[in-house]
Amino acid sequence: MTALAALFVRDIRIAVRVGGGAMIGVLFFLTIVALMPFAIGPDLALLQRIGPAILWIGALLASLLALDRLLTADLEDGSLDLLLMGGTPLELAVAAKALAHWLTTGLPLVIATPVFALFLNLDLTATAAVAGTLFVGTPALTFIGLIGAGLTVTLRRGGILLSVLVLPLAIPVLIFGVAASNAAIVGPLPFGTPFLILCALTLVSLVVGPFAAALALRQGQD
Amino acid sequence: MALIDLANPSRFLSFVDRVLPWLTGATALAFAVGLNQVYLAPDDYQQGATVKIMFIHVPSAWLAMFGWTVMSVAALGTLVWRHPLADVAAKAAAPIGAAFTLLCLITGSLWGRPMWGTYWVWDARLTSVFVLFLMYLGVIALWRTIEDPSRAARVAAILTLVGAINIPIIKYSVEFWNTLHQPASVMRLDGPTIHASILIPLLVMAAAFTLLFVTLHFAAMRNEILRRRVRTMQLMQAQAAPGS
């Protein structure tokens, strides 16, 4: 087993075991979705109309909440230093970590989406559209967040700063995710246009994220 | 004096001391000429005197983007060449750029009130300037969180460059989002293309604002260098103190 695969498996194991907190993001997501009707009112027609936006905001905040854990635990137990000094390219190592992170925090959000969509009175097409866009879009959120995590990992109270840094960068993902969902439900745009741009954003973040995060980790050392 | 000599902070300080009075004078002169021309410029036949807000608004918007460009170039200097002045330049540019971005937003909303009947619309351009302002605040927050200046410089440089990649993406996506939600944009500044009687004062004001930016930037860089010297001296003093 190569070092990268070992790192990947280790991260997934840590996340799914006790104390890993892989499901906390889904719980948070559920809380946001459940709070919305209390703020907006139980008007099912209105909830149906803004449902995709609520689900996207919920998923965005939930994945933002989990970002804090992406590198901090490794810094605390010293394994981040091993990664920095090890022979494996740091870019690939952080990419493997981010992938594992997405599998344990991002993918559960996507899987939970069809259930939460019931609360918001979304029909089958809308549910599929939101789940599909989240499936493509949440990796972008994780990999953009990886940059923020790399920048703030050594800071005290880095968590709040992380949100401030990452949110402006995540705006395009949110825009095209919600636009593609709405395009599938009501039009007038074809679903493909915003969806393909969303795919492009994800691919760009897959490239830029690990490099920027690795650079930040190297430069951020004392 | 070659440009490379300026890398030495002491040389840079003496250079700034020599240049700054001239820059200040040039800025004041440019503003005097520009404001006079703005005063003499005719009112717009539709917008009346409120069109004069444009002479502050447009140069501010230009400097909002110029500020991030300066920071990006300085960030490259920090990361690639480890230029000692680059981190100082990047740090000094952030609050100035943020201030001009805020000025652009404020004058824009003051102009929007009589023109569109509201202080704020989620117009594509307004929104992307607003996001730019948020990014400035993020960079400043990052600068203020890390104590060690040179580490702060490198970390902020990475964020600046990532932001520089992101600004065109944000601009494009906000325009996409805006046309999706508002078929007819509120922002209608057409009518006659800009007449020379308006254009020339605008260009003079843009030059004056740019001079102001350069002046403030040089002064802020000087202050930052002095502040770092004070910090180093305090550290040395604390180390030398008896009983430590």
Side-chain angles (χ1 to χ4, degrees), chain A residues 147 151 154-156 161 164-165 168-169 171-172 175-176 179 189 194 197 201 208 212 215-216 219-222, chain B residues 79 82 131 134-135 138 141-142 145-147 151 154-155 158-159 162 165-166 169-170 172-174 176-177 180:
Chain A
I147 306 176
L151 289 170
T154 51
L155 309 180
R156 279 163 290 161
L161 185 62
V164 176
L165 300 184
L169 305 180
I171 288 175
I175 288 177
F176 285 105
L189 253 106
I197 299 175
L201 286 176
V208 175
L215 188 62
Q219 303 286 350
Q221 298 302 306
D222 290 307
Chain B
L79 289 178
R82 296 283 161 110
V131 176
L134 291 182
M135 288 169 60
L142 192 59
T145 317
I146 307 176
E147 286 166 26
R151 195 160 73 94
R154 288 175 312 213
V155 172
I158 297 167
L159 181 65
V162 171
I165 299 174
N166 240 283
I169 299 178
I170 289 175
Y172 171 74
S173 49
V174 164
F176 177 90
W177 164 78
L180 202 66

Side-chain angles (χ1 to χ4, degrees), chain B residues 91-110:
Chain B
K91 186 175 185 182
I96 306 175
F100 277 114
T101 314
L102 186 62
L103 188 63
C104 174
L105 286 171
I106 290 175
T107 52
S109 71
L110 288 180

Side-chain angles (χ1 to χ4, degrees), chain A residues 43-85:
Chain A
D43 178 1
L44 280 182
L46 178 64
L47 285 176
Q48 184 181 29
R49 198 161 65 78
I50 59 174
I54 294 176
L55 287 171
W56 256 93
I57 288 279
L60 177 69
L61 292 178
S63 56
L64 202 66
L65 187 78
L67 283 177
D68 204 15
R69 319 180 47 85
L70 183 49
L71 296 170
T72 319
D74 282 352
L75 178 83
E76 283 164 359
D77 67 9
S79 41
L80 193 64
D81 293 329
L82 285 179
L83 287 180
L84 275 163
M85 289 184 291

Side-chain angles (χ1 to χ4, degrees), chain A residues 123-168:
Chain A
D123 59 19
L124 199 61
T125 327
T127 309
V130 176
T133 50
L134 277 178
F135 180 71
V136 174
T138 41
L141 297 179
T142 302
F143 275 80
I144 292 172
L146 178 65
I147 306 176
L151 289 170
T152 56
V153 64
T154 51
L155 309 180
R156 279 163 290 161
R157 286 189 298 281
I160 297 168
L161 185 62
L162 201 163
S163 328
V164 176
L165 300 184
V166 166
L167 275 184

Side-chain angles (χ1 to χ4, degrees), chain B residues 167-189:
Chain B
I167 285 172
I169 299 178
I170 289 175
K171 178 119 181 74
Y172 171 74
S173 49
V174 164
E175 263 162 31
F176 177 90
W177 164 78
N178 187 253
T179 46
L180 202 66
H181 286 257
Q182 290 177 228
S185 174
V186 194
M187 193 90 162
R188 305 263 315 164
L189 282 182

